[in-house]
Amino acid sequence: MQSSFPSAHDAPALTAHHRGISVLTEDGEFLTLSIAEIRERLQTMPCPLVVHAPAFARKLGLHAPGQPCPWLDLLELFAFVYPARSVAPTPRGLALALGVEEERIGQAEADLLPLLTSLMLAELARLKSGPEAEFLAALTVRLGQAGWPWAGTVAETLGLHEKLGPRGQLPEDAMQPGDALRVWRVLPKWEDVAPRPPPASHPITSAEARARLTMLLGEGAESRAGQADFASVSTAAFEPRTMHGNPAVVLAEAGTGTGKTLGYIAPASVWAERNGGSVWISTYTRHLQRQIEQETHRLFPDDATRRRHVVLRKGRENYLCLLNMEEAVNSAASRPAGVTIALAMLARWARATADGDLTGGDLPGWFGDLFGHGNITGVADRRGECIHGACPHYQRCFVEHTIRRAREADLVIANHALVMAQAAYSENAMADDSEEGEEDSTPSRYVFDEGHHLADAADGAFSAELSGLEAAELRRWLLGAEGRRSRARGLKRRLDDLVVGLPKLETPLDAALMAAHALPAPGWSTRLAGTEGENEPPPHPAEDMPAQGEDGLFPMVQNAVEPVLENPTEMFLKLLRQQVLARSQERGRADHAYGALECDLHPLLPDLAQAGQALARALGRLAEPLRTLAERLHARLQDEAESLDSVTRGRIEAMVRALRRRAITRLDAWIAMLDALDHPPPADATPTHIHFIRLDRREKQRMGEQDVGLHRHWLDPTVPFAAVMAMPAQGMLITSATLRDQSDTPRKPPTEEGQTEDLYSEESERAWEAAEARTGANHFPAPAIRASLSSPFDYARQTRTFIVNDIDHGSIADLAAAYRTLFQASGGGGLGLFTAISRLRGVHSRIAPALEESGLPLYAQHVDAMDNATLVDIFRTEEHACLLGTDAMRDGVDVPGNALRLVVFERVPWPRPDILHRERRIHLSGGDTTGYDDRIARLRLRQAFGRLIRSQSDRGVFVLLDRRTPSRLLSAFPPGAEVRRMGLADTAREIESFLPRTPQN
Ligand code: SF4
């Protein structure tokens, strides 16, 4: 086996650095070559060791290699030896993860790679006598059959040459290569337990919360008065509720560095223990969920104990679906070898993962770069096709297992979108008087971290979109793949034996499936842009569906449908597109060939109202049989209560839930939106909802591939948020470092650490009221309890803030020169924040070569094909790296220490001037539209500034490259952070003299 694969032992090695490419030749010669030289040498060189082949290829100006990779990528070996463990995907990151000392890492030249290889192979050799030995052997042989370049070296390390037969086969009694991928056979099964009783309502005291906090911090920990105060005030969110629909709400602003995560974990864990319930801790992003989970290690240092008490919950689409994995494995033989390699590496991970979380969990963020993002999404349940109890892997399913663990946990770490969706579903179920089983037992205590994002999350959760993509997705959910090369399962296949032979169920199902042909047919996007091919079959409509008979049954639909010429959804979408193209202001520049175009819904194009009515009728004909089907399925639970086994019961409950959530609720929302076509909003009234049309043109794709839709958003999305939370929530803590806009807050010099501010001045009252409006706290019956804890940081000592006043912000060349100068002045460690992707790219392409030459590697969101978490991992590990990013980097980067010492913001982050913003600033600003915009910009600047200082020993510089910055925005910066306006050269000199010198800066 080994002979046909490259050997890693005498392979050359390559790393990129600012002087070119560091090369260790196969003869042991140590060189630095230019990119042109190494590209030429690669033609004849034996297979080299590299780290992160896609990134290395891009460095050489080559396309990222596919699988099997032509090089020996050390990250692939890492994924094989250390599954379910992440690492920054650079030579330095690997070296640190493998315990190599800093002095040995040095500049991470090519001679480091053989050392890293040998360390990993030494660990692999240790595994060959462990419990996984047989699996590793089978997996290696399967990978070798697919051409994995490490297969020879790994086989040699595992001693396979002694085990393999003459044709490379494993002994008959050993695990066979094909079986190694069938992980669903070996994963542990979950077992149901009796439902958890409802929690008690015993209060907890401040003293208990403080004592728990002290325990979490450990003996001798630095005392943070603000953190203990935060833990104390948070206990009010755990008071027993006094009136139905009136939760205790605590609004607590905790300045950066307060330590609020442990501050709320302390009371939450005390309450959960005492009352036998779960506290749901919600944050904005999946990445932040993982950060909170890390903090719970102090509460439960033992992995097994923590696993019982703390569960990280995400939407189903984030987890590995074993049935999809099985189908992918079964079809892999007919697909390219790279698919088998990806599935084999996924199988390796699946046996080691804690929870099967594919996105932001223990699957490294760079896994998709190496093995194909499509191979990951293909094994997740992205389209809601789960067949629940009918699935042969149900009892080993990661999703089901996680849901069950969450029911028993003390702390469930979730995200805002999931919490809101769950609360909305449980409210709908109550409104329907439905007794369908919920996935999660509805929690009663919540902590909302990153509370300043609640309105954004609610805006997404409670908006509706009738677009081509959404409607086509529903068609696919109902009808399946429709003959395309896809494994998509339709509703019929998922319901299967639940309806077969039962006319009361089969008839509405058939009617619904026929009516589903009114949704966009395959190829809709191309037809929408008016570029359909001549051979494309016309969409099949279902405009005239039969009505339900008096008996509630539907007539046989095959004979009842008269074919008509137009698909009603596609017809409607075409008119939407026509209206948005006619009314939006296209700027006609090349960089606007993608992105969104918007226009108001009213006034309508002449034919749009009629098309909307036709579509509403067609959607009604789809919704009704689905509703009938759901009701009759649900009735089976009662009618056959004595004969249904628990698996079938569970399946029926899950299918009813899926029908309601995936189809009926969505169709009802669409029909309501279409009703708005006939009801233009009165000009002089405040609307509840905002309707508009949007055309999305996706980047780097054909113009024909676009989407258009009718959108409906709440004017104030915190209204539905409060409405759905009011019933289940008995107590809520809403916290953030940036709840209040500082313009309305008295600016004080720094006070004693953690000292609570005076909350009762008039200005402060205004700031709190605005914070309550932004978080929805003002919609609950009882007033929120307010608290504010100052940041312990000394911003006057630890930071410098500049506005550069001699840059032409309209010139991308000037902007690029400014970034280059400032990043070089800080010696790297710079985070560049942008409000537009096009400017980010323009700056990146201009400064990357010069920074590389200075030894400052530059990474960028929207440029480097890596997810944000991976980019941040690299930035954190490579102390002299710089990173460019947009909104997600502004809000989610937590990089303590010297790795982040400079934040450069290209311009004032004003709100995007779109239709939603226009309406909200008119109706929610109280007449002060300028003040409304200012508040948004100030809060964003505060967020960005907050990235800079994460510990007492940090020093950092914040630079705004926008000379038009109004002085009224400067209150965004914390007390003590003096803002100075000066030229670029002076700013660079100030940075050089303020930041600590490091070996390279
Ligand atoms: S139960 Fe559903 S999500 Fe789980 S493995 Fe089966 S089909 Fe996939």
Side-chain angles (χ1 to χ4, degrees):
M1 180 172 179
Q2 299 91 314
S3 58
S4 58
F5 290 95
S7 167
H9 298 300
D10 46 11
L14 308 173
T15 61
H17 57 57
H18 60 284
R19 298 186 307 278
I21 303 297
S22 170
V23 184
L24 182 69
T25 71
E26 59 274 31
D27 302 323
E29 200 179 354
F30 196 40
L31 307 169
T32 295
L33 298 178
S34 69
I35 286 176
E37 286 170 322
I38 201 65
R39 281 180 62 149
E40 197 179 326
R41 274 216 183 193
L42 271 173
Q43 314 288 332
T44 53
M45 179 186 274
C47 182
L49 300 171
V50 301
V51 174
H52 199 185
F56 187 73
R58 284 191 289 271
K59 189 82 70 182
L60 301 187
L62 302 171
H63 287 299
Q67 287 289 344
C69 182
W71 305 324
L72 288 160
D73 187 343
L74 269 65
L75 284 182
E76 294 190 17
L77 182 62
F78 186 88
F80 188 88
V81 178
Y82 300 98
R85 193 173 144 188
S86 201
V87 62
T90 61
R92 180 180 169 78
L94 260 182
L96 290 173
L98 295 172
V100 180
E101 290 176 358
E102 189 71 53
E103 303 80 59
R104 175 64 189 85
I105 298 172
Q107 302 296 307
E109 305 267 3
D111 63 337
L112 182 64
L113 270 47
L115 170 65
L116 303 182
T117 306
S118 63
L119 287 171
M120 287 190 275
L121 293 178
E123 173 63 13
L124 184 63
R126 209 180 55 76
L127 298 179
K128 77 178 174 188
S129 50
E132 296 266 80
E134 197 181 3
F135 164 65
L136 290 177
L139 195 67
T140 304
V141 173
R142 188 71 191 93
L143 281 163
Q145 291 165 349
W148 190 47
W150 284 100
T153 304
V154 167
E156 183 189 345
T157 309
L158 292 173
L160 288 192
H161 52 284
E162 295 158 12
K163 298 180 186 160
L164 295 179
R167 286 174 288 107
Q169 80 277 23
L170 285 160
E172 276 181 14
D173 58 347
M175 183 188 289
Q176 295 303 303
D179 293 336
L181 273 58
R182 298 189 162 86
V183 283
W184 50 90
R185 293 179 179 169
V186 295
L187 292 171
K189 288 185 176 181
W190 51 262
E191 288 184 357
D192 251 335
V193 293
R196 193 178 192 183
S201 299
H202 302 300
I204 56 171
T205 65
S206 295
E208 288 169 322
R210 284 173 181 263
R212 174 60 55 89
L213 179 64
T214 304
M215 186 275 279
L216 293 177
L217 292 170
E219 276 184 26
E222 180 188 343
S223 160
R224 298 197 207 178
Q227 190 177 29
D229 289 345
F230 180 83
S232 288
V233 78
S234 299
T235 57
F238 298 95
E239 285 290 308
R241 188 166 68 176
T242 54
M243 196 191 304
H244 190 57
N246 186 15
V249 180
V250 175
L251 203 56
E253 185 175 63
T256 309
T258 308
K260 64 180 160 48
T261 307
L262 285 181
Y264 58 65
I265 286 176
S269 58
V270 174
W271 184 89
E273 268 172 40
R274 173 156 311 155
N275 292 287
S278 301
V279 177
W280 277 53
I281 298 172
S282 176
T283 186
Y284 189 46
T285 64
R286 293 178 299 210
H287 184 57
L288 292 167
Q289 279 182 261
R290 196 56 68 176
Q291 284 182 19
I292 294 173
E293 197 265 345
Q294 294 293 324
E295 296 276 346
T296 64
H297 289 219
R298 291 174 187 252
L299 185 62
F300 300 111
D302 175 61
D303 287 350
T305 311
R306 188 173 61 255
R307 188 175 161 77
R308 276 202 312 281
H309 291 278
V310 181
V311 174
L312 201 147
R313 269 284 270 123
K314 297 182 181 176
R316 305 180 72 94
E317 68 282 3
N318 292 285
Y319 296 90
L320 173 66
C321 165
L322 295 172
L323 189 58
N324 281 354
M325 176 93 177
E326 180 182 7
E327 292 186 359
V329 167
N330 289 343
S331 63
S334 60
R335 302 176 67 197
V339 174
T340 297
I341 293 176
L343 291 170
M345 297 308 262
L346 276 169
R348 175 74 175 119
W349 165 80
R351 289 172 65 122
T353 177
D355 56 9
D357 178 0
L358 291 161
T359 51
D362 53 18
L363 185 72
W366 38 261
F367 193 96
D369 299 342
L370 267 53
F371 302 110
H373 292 282
N375 289 320
I376 298 179
T377 50
V379 294
D381 180 25
R382 293 279 157 128
R383 301 180 187 281
E385 294 170 354
C386 175
I387 53 176
H388 303 279
C391 173
H393 313 309
Y394 187 57
Q395 285 206 294
R396 300 185 198 273
C397 172
F398 285 115
V399 187
E400 299 296 332
H401 202 170
T402 304
I403 289 170
R404 277 158 184 80
R405 287 200 298 120
R407 288 176 189 159
E408 302 296 314
D410 292 353
L411 303 179
V412 179
I413 301 166
N415 54 65
H416 296 346
L418 179 70
V419 170
M420 289 180 199
Q422 182 201 52
Y425 291 139
S426 63
E427 193 194 54
N428 283 341
M430 275 192 279
D432 290 353
D433 203 18
S434 151
E435 293 166 19
E436 71 190 65
E438 280 302 314
E439 274 187 353
D440 299 292
S441 44
T442 308
S444 63
R445 307 286 167 173
Y446 297 85
V447 174
F448 288 103
D449 201 344
E450 301 290 308
H452 60 284
H453 277 305
L454 277 175
D456 290 339
D459 201 18
F462 301 108
S463 61
E465 173 183 341
L466 170 48
S467 67
L469 275 179
E470 288 275 313
E473 182 65 35
L474 179 57
R475 177 178 173 128
R476 194 177 151 99
W477 189 78
L478 292 165
L479 297 178
E482 295 189 78
R484 281 165 294 163
R485 239 176 68 88
S486 161
R487 304 194 311 270
R489 293 179 282 271
L491 184 59
K492 192 154 202 157
R493 194 172 145 208
R494 289 197 298 280
L495 284 168
D496 199 25
D497 55 303
L498 292 181
V499 298
V500 170
L502 298 172
K504 283 187 82 163
L505 297 172
E506 281 182 320
T507 308
L509 173 62
D510 288 341
L513 297 185
M514 186 59 76
H517 288 89
L519 299 169
W524 63 271
S525 178
T526 314
R527 284 191 295 280
L528 182 68
T531 56
E532 62 264 46
E534 288 178 3
N535 298 326
E536 187 106 38
H540 184 65
E543 164 65 348
D544 295 316
M545 283 301 303
Q548 266 173 302
E550 283 178 8
D551 60 353
L553 297 179
F554 291 82
M556 290 304 288
V557 291
Q558 292 91 328
N559 302 324
V561 178
E562 289 293 317
V564 293
L565 291 178
E566 286 287 359
N567 173 307
T569 317
E570 293 190 27
M571 184 70 197
F572 180 71
L573 294 174
K574 273 189 180 174
L575 288 167
L576 288 184
R577 182 172 181 273
Q578 184 182 331
Q579 178 162 325
V580 76
L581 286 174
R583 308 244 173 106
S584 62
Q585 295 295 317
E586 171 72 283
R587 283 185 244 175
R589 282 170 31 189
D591 61 353
H592 285 271
Y594 58 88
L597 299 177
E598 290 182 357
C599 77
D600 290 289
L601 176 60
H602 291 99
L604 304 176
L605 279 188
D607 297 334
L608 195 51
Q610 199 182 358
Q613 287 161 4
L615 178 55
R617 285 196 300 277
L619 297 181
R621 290 185 184 105
L622 173 56
E624 283 317 306
L626 287 175
R627 212 182 307 276
T628 304
L629 178 63
E631 284 164 6
R632 291 178 184 176
L633 267 174
H634 191 251
R636 277 193 71 188
L637 295 175
Q638 275 94 48
D639 298 347
E640 301 170 42
E642 282 157 22
S643 57
L644 283 180
D645 62 79
S646 60
V647 170
T648 308
R649 280 193 77 82
R651 267 187 75 197
I652 291 176
E653 284 172 352
M655 284 314 306
V656 171
R657 199 163 50 228
L659 280 167
R660 288 187 171 144
R661 292 181 184 182
R662 283 241 158 214
I664 298 168
T665 308
R666 197 187 288 186
L667 287 164
D668 288 347
W670 289 347
I671 293 168
M673 287 167 76
L674 292 168
D675 186 54
L677 266 63
D678 300 326
H679 300 94
D684 52 352
T686 301
T688 309
H689 291 97
I690 306 164
H691 292 87
F692 62 96
I693 304 170
R694 192 169 75 208
L695 176 69
D696 287 304
R697 296 168 302 171
R698 283 174 297 287
E699 194 181 359
K700 292 182 184 167
Q701 291 184 350
R702 294 179 292 128
M703 277 299 289
E705 291 184 311
Q706 43 182 279
D707 190 21
V708 68
L710 173 59
H711 294 252
R712 182 186 67 179
H713 286 246
W714 281 78
L715 177 70
D716 179 358
T718 64
V719 171
F721 164 67
V724 299
M725 295 306 299
M727 293 306 158
Q730 302 207 14
M732 292 167 50
L733 167 67
I734 301 175
T735 184
S736 165
T738 51
L739 283 177
R740 289 176 302 160
D741 171 26
Q742 294 294 300
S743 77
D744 296 331
T745 308
R747 286 171 64 75
K748 296 179 183 178
T751 56
E752 189 181 320
E753 183 187 4
Q755 185 176 329
T756 306
E757 292 177 14
D758 172 13
L759 303 180
Y760 301 104
S761 70
E762 198 179 314
E763 296 87 344
S764 182
E765 180 63 25
R766 278 208 308 273
W768 276 114
E769 285 173 1
E772 286 167 356
R774 276 193 293 276
T775 55
N778 58 336
H779 300 307
F780 293 101
I785 296 164
R786 302 165 176 173
S788 170
L789 291 308
S790 305
S791 168
F793 300 141
D794 179 354
Y795 288 106
R797 177 181 63 80
Q798 293 181 260
T799 66
R800 295 290 181 269
T801 306
F802 304 101
I803 296 173
V804 173
N805 57 12
D806 57 358
I807 293 293
D808 175 5
H809 63 270
S811 160
I812 197 78
D814 276 19
L815 199 58
Y819 270 101
R820 191 196 63 238
T821 304
L822 296 172
F823 285 168
Q824 286 174 334
S826 67
L831 174 65
L833 295 172
F834 290 79
T835 55
I837 296 171
S838 57
R839 287 197 295 277
L840 179 153
R841 289 190 171 131
V843 166
H844 178 272
S845 63
R846 284 170 174 80
I847 68 174
L851 290 182
E852 289 280 342
E853 273 206 6
S854 311
L856 309 176
L858 180 67
Y859 297 90
Q861 192 189 1
H862 310 293
V863 175
D864 291 298
M866 289 182 247
D867 66 6
N868 291 353
T870 306
L871 286 170
V872 173
D873 276 350
I874 296 174
F875 183 57
R876 195 182 283 123
T877 309
E878 308 285 321
E879 195 169 296
H880 302 290
C882 295
L883 177 62
L884 306 182
T886 51
D887 293 7
M889 294 296 178
R890 184 186 68 219
D891 290 348
V893 176
D894 185 11
V895 182
N898 204 34
L900 173 54
R901 47 193 178 269
L902 171 67
V903 173
V904 184
F905 216 135
E906 53 134 358
R907 60 174 65 181
V908 173
W910 295 114
R912 188 196 302 271
D914 54 17
I915 290 173
L916 269 180
H917 177 65
R918 184 194 70 198
E919 293 300 305
R920 285 174 178 157
R921 78 197 285 270
I922 290 171
H923 297 290
L924 300 179
S925 65
D928 179 14
T929 51
T930 304
Y932 186 79
D933 291 345
D934 287 354
R935 271 189 200 96
I936 294 172
R938 271 193 295 265
L939 285 165
R940 290 177 179 174
L941 283 172
R942 267 185 91 189
Q943 271 296 321
F945 189 90
R947 306 300 102 210
L948 200 53
I949 303 296
R950 312 299 288 178
S951 74
Q952 303 271 11
S953 56
D954 284 1
R955 280 160 83 90
V957 178
F958 188 90
V959 181
L960 193 50
L961 294 174
D962 190 345
R963 62 185 171 194
R964 303 161 302 170
T965 307
S967 297
R968 63 181 189 277
L969 298 189
L970 302 188
S971 56
F973 301 107
E978 184 196 353
V979 183
R980 289 191 282 162
R981 295 179 190 257
M982 61 178 66
L984 178 64
D986 289 338
T987 304
R989 271 192 289 278
E990 291 279 345
I991 290 172
E992 283 172 13
S993 66
F994 178 68
L995 290 178
R997 309 308 297 171
T998 63
Q1000 287 188 356
N1001 71 351

